[in-house]
Each structure stands twice: as structure tokens, then as C-alpha cells.
Amino acid sequence: QVELVESGGGSVQAGGSLRLSCVASANTACMGWFRQVPGKEREGVAAITSAGRTTYADSVKGRFAVSQDQFKNTLWLQMNNLKPEDTATYYCAAKWGWSDPLDPGMYNDWGQGTLVTVSS
């Protein structure tokens, strides 16, 4: 089991930026960022494989960037031009396979989440 701890959430006005961090207890084949609002299903935002291949949800392409430092077991999500609809609790997750990187059902281990609030 991989332990994951997110940080970096907060409140920002629309158009602003935030950077989320996730420190993992081990490297895995694929790590991802997901978000969830109350009453809705958790959705994939961005993912990156150990080979550096990235995948993004259409709603965040061009605004969000996922990156990692495998030596530090750290994952980041740079979020720019934030919109009110980006408001959610953001989760870091890890899995051992490379397929379906934005499918939350494919992930084994999850962090506790960090809240991002974007005001208009």
C-alpha cells in the first residue's frame, strides 16, 4: 500500500493559480489527480506515468499541468486560469498499471484530499 499526502489547496479568485503537491511513500507506474464535489462522482483530472506520459481531462487541457519528481516521490498539479467550476476536493492517487489513467476505479491508493475553492 502506498501512502499519499496532498497539500496546497486553498481559496482563489477566478483566473488565479494554485499548485497542489502530493508526497508518496513509494513510486508507482502511474499517479493521478482526481476531484470530487458533493453529490457527484469522482472524476479524473490529470495523470502521469513513470515514463512521463501525461493525460488530461478535456476540461483542464491548456490550464493544468501535472509533473513529478520520482527521486522525491512527489507529484504536482499546477492549476492556472482557475474557474469556479474547478471548485472541488482534489485527491492524489497511485496505481501499478498504465491503462485507463483517468479512471478512478483503476486506482488502489488514495490521499485524504485537499479542498480547492474558486470564487467568481
Side-chain angles (χ1 to χ4, degrees), residues 18-113:
L18 282 174
R19 190 189 196 201
L20 305 182
S21 300
C22 173
V23 178
S25 60
N27 285 320
T28 60
C30 186
M31 296 186 71
W33 288 100
F34 297 80
R35 64 188 181 187
Q36 189 171 22
V37 296
K40 293 189 176 181
E41 293 186 353
R42 191 167 297 187
E43 65 171 347
V45 175
I48 186 167
T49 70
S50 56
R53 181 176 179 176
T54 57
T55 307
Y56 295 94
D58 289 342
S59 59
V60 305
K61 282 181 180 177
R63 300 189 298 121
F64 290 12
V66 61
S67 60
Q68 65 184 354
D69 183 333
Q70 294 183 341
F71 293 103
K72 297 181 179 179
N73 292 352
T74 303
L75 180 74
W76 292 282
L77 183 67
Q78 178 67 43
M79 304 185 293
N80 298 324
N81 191 22
L82 283 160
K83 304 176 180 181
E85 52 264 42
D86 294 318
T87 295
T89 298
Y90 284 71
Y91 298 89
C92 171
K95 69 185 183 85
W96 298 103
W98 287 6
S99 62
D100 302 315
L102 295 183
D103 181 353
M106 301 296 289
Y107 283 76
N108 310 105
D109 300 299
W110 294 85
Q112 82 287 352

